[in-house]
PDB file of all heavy atoms in Angstrom:
ATOM      1  N   GLU A 185      80.710 117.981  78.477  1.00 93.00           N
ATOM      2  CA  GLU A 185      79.494 118.722  78.146  1.00 93.00           C
ATOM      3  C   GLU A 185      78.293 117.823  77.876  1.00 93.00           C
ATOM      4  O   GLU A 185      77.702 117.852  76.794  1.00 93.00           O
ATOM      5  CB  GLU A 185      79.781 119.672  76.994  1.00 93.00           C
ATOM      6  CG  GLU A 185      80.819 120.696  77.424  1.00 93.00           C
ATOM      7  CD  GLU A 185      80.997 121.835  76.449  1.00 93.00           C
ATOM      8  OE1 GLU A 185      80.741 121.639  75.253  1.00 93.00           O
ATOM      9  OE2 GLU A 185      81.387 122.927  76.899  1.00 93.00           O
ATOM     10  N   PHE A 186      77.954 117.047  78.865  1.00 96.00           N
ATOM     11  CA  PHE A 186      76.704 116.303  78.789  1.00 96.00           C
ATOM     12  C   PHE A 186      75.587 117.155  79.367  1.00 96.00           C
ATOM     13  O   PHE A 186      75.816 118.002  80.229  1.00 96.00           O
ATOM     14  CB  PHE A 186      76.819 114.995  79.581  1.00 96.00           C
ATOM     15  CG  PHE A 186      77.653 113.956  78.879  1.00 96.00           C
ATOM     16  CD1 PHE A 186      78.941 113.668  79.315  1.00 96.00           C
ATOM     17  CD2 PHE A 186      77.158 113.277  77.775  1.00 96.00           C
ATOM     18  CE1 PHE A 186      79.712 112.715  78.658  1.00 96.00           C
ATOM     19  CE2 PHE A 186      77.928 112.326  77.113  1.00 96.00           C
ATOM     20  CZ  PHE A 186      79.202 112.042  77.556  1.00 96.00           C
ATOM     21  N   LYS A 187      74.401 116.903  78.911  1.00 94.00           N
ATOM     22  CA  LYS A 187      73.249 117.607  79.479  1.00 94.00           C
ATOM     23  C   LYS A 187      73.066 117.172  80.940  1.00 94.00           C
ATOM     24  O   LYS A 187      73.432 116.047  81.304  1.00 94.00           O
ATOM     25  CB  LYS A 187      71.991 117.266  78.668  1.00 94.00           C
ATOM     26  CG  LYS A 187      72.041 117.779  77.230  1.00 94.00           C
ATOM     27  CD  LYS A 187      70.679 118.353  76.818  1.00 94.00           C
ATOM     28  CE  LYS A 187      70.767 119.012  75.453  1.00 94.00           C
ATOM     29  NZ  LYS A 187      70.785 117.985  74.357  1.00 94.00           N
ATOM     30  N   PRO A 188      72.506 118.051  81.756  1.00 93.00           N
ATOM     31  CA  PRO A 188      72.376 117.737  83.188  1.00 93.00           C
ATOM     32  C   PRO A 188      71.731 116.381  83.464  1.00 93.00           C
ATOM     33  O   PRO A 188      72.180 115.659  84.353  1.00 93.00           O
ATOM     34  CB  PRO A 188      71.507 118.880  83.721  1.00 93.00           C
ATOM     35  CG  PRO A 188      71.806 120.025  82.812  1.00 93.00           C
ATOM     36  CD  PRO A 188      72.054 119.421  81.452  1.00 93.00           C
ATOM     37  N   GLU A 189      70.741 116.024  82.696  1.00 94.00           N
ATOM     38  CA  GLU A 189      70.064 114.752  82.976  1.00 94.00           C
ATOM     39  C   GLU A 189      70.983 113.561  82.724  1.00 94.00           C
ATOM     40  O   GLU A 189      71.051 112.618  83.522  1.00 94.00           O
ATOM     41  CB  GLU A 189      68.795 114.625  82.116  1.00 94.00           C
ATOM     42  CG  GLU A 189      67.820 113.594  82.669  1.00 94.00           C
ATOM     43  CD  GLU A 189      66.946 112.991  81.570  1.00 94.00           C
ATOM     44  OE1 GLU A 189      66.696 113.669  80.551  1.00 94.00           O
ATOM     45  OE2 GLU A 189      66.527 111.824  81.749  1.00 94.00           O
ATOM     46  N   SER A 190      71.736 113.617  81.623  1.00 96.00           N
ATOM     47  CA  SER A 190      72.700 112.554  81.328  1.00 96.00           C
ATOM     48  C   SER A 190      73.776 112.508  82.407  1.00 96.00           C
ATOM     49  O   SER A 190      74.170 111.437  82.883  1.00 96.00           O
ATOM     50  CB  SER A 190      73.381 112.802  79.981  1.00 96.00           C
ATOM     51  OG  SER A 190      72.434 112.824  78.945  1.00 96.00           O
ATOM     52  N   MET A 191      74.249 113.691  82.763  1.00 95.00           N
ATOM     53  CA  MET A 191      75.303 113.771  83.767  1.00 95.00           C
ATOM     54  C   MET A 191      74.845 113.173  85.095  1.00 95.00           C
ATOM     55  O   MET A 191      75.595 112.433  85.748  1.00 95.00           O
ATOM     56  CB  MET A 191      75.701 115.239  83.950  1.00 95.00           C
ATOM     57  CG  MET A 191      76.824 115.450  84.912  1.00 95.00           C
ATOM     58  SD  MET A 191      78.343 114.650  84.350  1.00 95.00           S
ATOM     59  CE  MET A 191      79.029 115.991  83.391  1.00 95.00           C
ATOM     60  N   ALA A 192      73.614 113.487  85.476  1.00 95.00           N
ATOM     61  CA  ALA A 192      73.097 112.961  86.744  1.00 95.00           C
ATOM     62  C   ALA A 192      73.073 111.430  86.703  1.00 95.00           C
ATOM     63  O   ALA A 192      73.418 110.765  87.684  1.00 95.00           O
ATOM     64  CB  ALA A 192      71.702 113.518  87.015  1.00 95.00           C
ATOM     65  N   ARG A 193      72.696 110.878  85.556  1.00 97.00           N
ATOM     66  CA  ARG A 193      72.681 109.411  85.442  1.00 97.00           C
ATOM     67  C   ARG A 193      74.090 108.841  85.522  1.00 97.00           C
ATOM     68  O   ARG A 193      74.338 107.812  86.140  1.00 97.00           O
ATOM     69  CB  ARG A 193      72.061 108.997  84.115  1.00 97.00           C
ATOM     70  CG  ARG A 193      70.575 109.262  84.052  1.00 97.00           C
ATOM     71  CD  ARG A 193      70.036 108.660  82.769  1.00 97.00           C
ATOM     72  NE  ARG A 193      68.670 109.072  82.537  1.00 97.00           N
ATOM     73  CZ  ARG A 193      67.815 108.371  81.817  1.00 97.00           C
ATOM     74  NH1 ARG A 193      68.190 107.228  81.254  1.00 97.00           N
ATOM     75  NH2 ARG A 193      66.586 108.790  81.649  1.00 97.00           N
ATOM     76  N   GLY A 194      75.017 109.510  84.848  1.00 97.00           N
ATOM     77  CA  GLY A 194      76.400 109.037  84.861  1.00 97.00           C
ATOM     78  C   GLY A 194      77.017 109.117  86.245  1.00 97.00           C
ATOM     79  O   GLY A 194      77.727 108.205  86.683  1.00 97.00           O
ATOM     80  N   ARG A 195      76.729 110.195  86.945  1.00 97.00           N
ATOM     81  CA  ARG A 195      77.328 110.390  88.265  1.00 97.00           C
ATOM     82  C   ARG A 195      76.975 109.274  89.244  1.00 97.00           C
ATOM     83  O   ARG A 195      77.740 108.972  90.154  1.00 97.00           O
ATOM     84  CB  ARG A 195      76.901 111.740  88.858  1.00 97.00           C
ATOM     85  CG  ARG A 195      77.803 112.890  88.445  1.00 97.00           C
ATOM     86  CD  ARG A 195      77.533 114.135  89.312  1.00 97.00           C
ATOM     87  NE  ARG A 195      78.148 115.317  88.728  1.00 97.00           N
ATOM     88  CZ  ARG A 195      79.416 115.694  88.942  1.00 97.00           C
ATOM     89  NH1 ARG A 195      80.193 114.985  89.750  1.00 97.00           N
ATOM     90  NH2 ARG A 195      79.907 116.764  88.371  1.00 97.00           N
ATOM     91  N   VAL A 196      75.807 108.680  89.073  1.00 97.00           N
ATOM     92  CA  VAL A 196      75.422 107.576  89.953  1.00 97.00           C
ATOM     93  C   VAL A 196      76.521 106.511  89.953  1.00 97.00           C
ATOM     94  O   VAL A 196      76.939 106.019  91.007  1.00 97.00           O
ATOM     95  CB  VAL A 196      74.086 106.960  89.498  1.00 97.00           C
ATOM     96  CG1 VAL A 196      73.801 105.641  90.227  1.00 97.00           C
ATOM     97  CG2 VAL A 196      72.947 107.952  89.703  1.00 97.00           C
ATOM     98  N   TYR A 197      77.028 106.193  88.761  1.00 98.00           N
ATOM     99  CA  TYR A 197      78.032 105.126  88.654  1.00 98.00           C
ATOM    100  C   TYR A 197      79.437 105.627  88.998  1.00 98.00           C
ATOM    101  O   TYR A 197      80.250 104.887  89.551  1.00 98.00           O
ATOM    102  CB  TYR A 197      77.964 104.489  87.257  1.00 98.00           C
ATOM    103  CG  TYR A 197      76.646 103.780  87.092  1.00 98.00           C
ATOM    104  CD1 TYR A 197      75.567 104.397  86.464  1.00 98.00           C
ATOM    105  CD2 TYR A 197      76.437 102.525  87.661  1.00 98.00           C
ATOM    106  CE1 TYR A 197      74.325 103.779  86.377  1.00 98.00           C
ATOM    107  CE2 TYR A 197      75.214 101.887  87.569  1.00 98.00           C
ATOM    108  CZ  TYR A 197      74.157 102.523  86.932  1.00 98.00           C
ATOM    109  OH  TYR A 197      72.936 101.911  86.856  1.00 98.00           O
ATOM    110  N   PHE A 198      79.687 106.874  88.686  1.00 98.00           N
ATOM    111  CA  PHE A 198      80.956 107.490  89.085  1.00 98.00           C
ATOM    112  C   PHE A 198      81.069 107.476  90.617  1.00 98.00           C
ATOM    113  O   PHE A 198      82.113 107.104  91.177  1.00 98.00           O
ATOM    114  CB  PHE A 198      80.978 108.932  88.557  1.00 98.00           C
ATOM    115  CG  PHE A 198      82.312 109.620  88.642  1.00 98.00           C
ATOM    116  CD1 PHE A 198      83.341 109.273  87.783  1.00 98.00           C
ATOM    117  CD2 PHE A 198      82.535 110.641  89.560  1.00 98.00           C
ATOM    118  CE1 PHE A 198      84.572 109.932  87.838  1.00 98.00           C
ATOM    119  CE2 PHE A 198      83.757 111.301  89.617  1.00 98.00           C
ATOM    120  CZ  PHE A 198      84.775 110.942  88.759  1.00 98.00           C
ATOM    121  N   ASP A 199      79.996 107.840  91.278  1.00 97.00           N
ATOM    122  CA  ASP A 199      79.986 107.852  92.742  1.00 97.00           C
ATOM    123  C   ASP A 199      80.137 106.443  93.311  1.00 97.00           C
ATOM    124  O   ASP A 199      80.868 106.225  94.275  1.00 97.00           O
ATOM    125  CB  ASP A 199      78.680 108.489  93.255  1.00 97.00           C
ATOM    126  CG  ASP A 199      78.639 109.995  93.004  1.00 97.00           C
ATOM    127  OD1 ASP A 199      79.710 110.602  92.826  1.00 97.00           O
ATOM    128  OD2 ASP A 199      77.527 110.568  92.980  1.00 97.00           O
ATOM    129  N   ARG A 200      79.424 105.502  92.707  1.00 97.00           N
ATOM    130  CA  ARG A 200      79.534 104.125  93.209  1.00 97.00           C
ATOM    131  C   ARG A 200      80.960 103.620  93.069  1.00 97.00           C
ATOM    132  O   ARG A 200      81.508 102.991  93.966  1.00 97.00           O
ATOM    133  CB  ARG A 200      78.599 103.193  92.432  1.00 97.00           C
ATOM    134  CG  ARG A 200      77.176 103.355  92.874  1.00 97.00           C
ATOM    135  CD  ARG A 200      76.277 102.284  92.260  1.00 97.00           C
ATOM    136  NE  ARG A 200      74.898 102.709  92.451  1.00 97.00           N
ATOM    137  CZ  ARG A 200      73.860 102.177  91.853  1.00 97.00           C
ATOM    138  NH1 ARG A 200      74.026 101.169  91.003  1.00 97.00           N
ATOM    139  NH2 ARG A 200      72.642 102.612  92.087  1.00 97.00           N
ATOM    140  N   LEU A 201      81.532 103.875  91.906  1.00 97.00           N
ATOM    141  CA  LEU A 201      82.909 103.447  91.647  1.00 97.00           C
ATOM    142  C   LEU A 201      83.841 103.965  92.746  1.00 97.00           C
ATOM    143  O   LEU A 201      84.672 103.218  93.277  1.00 97.00           O
ATOM    144  CB  LEU A 201      83.319 103.984  90.270  1.00 97.00           C
ATOM    145  CG  LEU A 201      84.746 103.800  89.758  1.00 97.00           C
ATOM    146  CD1 LEU A 201      84.710 103.737  88.224  1.00 97.00           C
ATOM    147  CD2 LEU A 201      85.678 104.919  90.169  1.00 97.00           C
ATOM    148  N   ARG A 202      83.691 105.239  93.089  1.00 97.00           N
ATOM    149  CA  ARG A 202      84.625 105.826  94.051  1.00 97.00           C
ATOM    150  C   ARG A 202      84.395 105.309  95.468  1.00 97.00           C
ATOM    151  O   ARG A 202      85.344 105.140  96.228  1.00 97.00           O
ATOM    152  CB  ARG A 202      84.544 107.353  93.993  1.00 97.00           C
ATOM    153  CG  ARG A 202      84.977 107.853  92.605  1.00 97.00           C
ATOM    154  CD  ARG A 202      85.372 109.296  92.616  1.00 97.00           C
ATOM    155  NE  ARG A 202      84.285 110.130  93.114  1.00 97.00           N
ATOM    156  CZ  ARG A 202      84.382 111.427  93.297  1.00 97.00           C
ATOM    157  NH1 ARG A 202      85.515 112.047  93.042  1.00 97.00           N
ATOM    158  NH2 ARG A 202      83.357 112.118  93.728  1.00 97.00           N
ATOM    159  N   THR A 203      83.145 105.058  95.809  1.00 97.00           N
ATOM    160  CA  THR A 203      82.882 104.503  97.140  1.00 97.00           C
ATOM    161  C   THR A 203      83.327 103.042  97.213  1.00 97.00           C
ATOM    162  O   THR A 203      83.963 102.616  98.177  1.00 97.00           O
ATOM    163  CB  THR A 203      81.379 104.624  97.481  1.00 97.00           C
ATOM    164  OG1 THR A 203      81.068 106.004  97.678  1.00 97.00           O
ATOM    165  CG2 THR A 203      81.030 103.864  98.756  1.00 97.00           C
TER     166      THR A 203
END
Side-chain angles (χ1 to χ4, degrees):
Chain A
E185 297 190 333
F186 286 105
K187 295 221 173 77
E189 199 207 332
S190 300
M191 183 62 89
R193 290 187 190 205
R195 273 193 194 274
V196 169
Y197 294 96
F198 192 73
D199 289 339
R200 283 189 194 167
L201 175 151
R202 297 200 303 176
T203 290

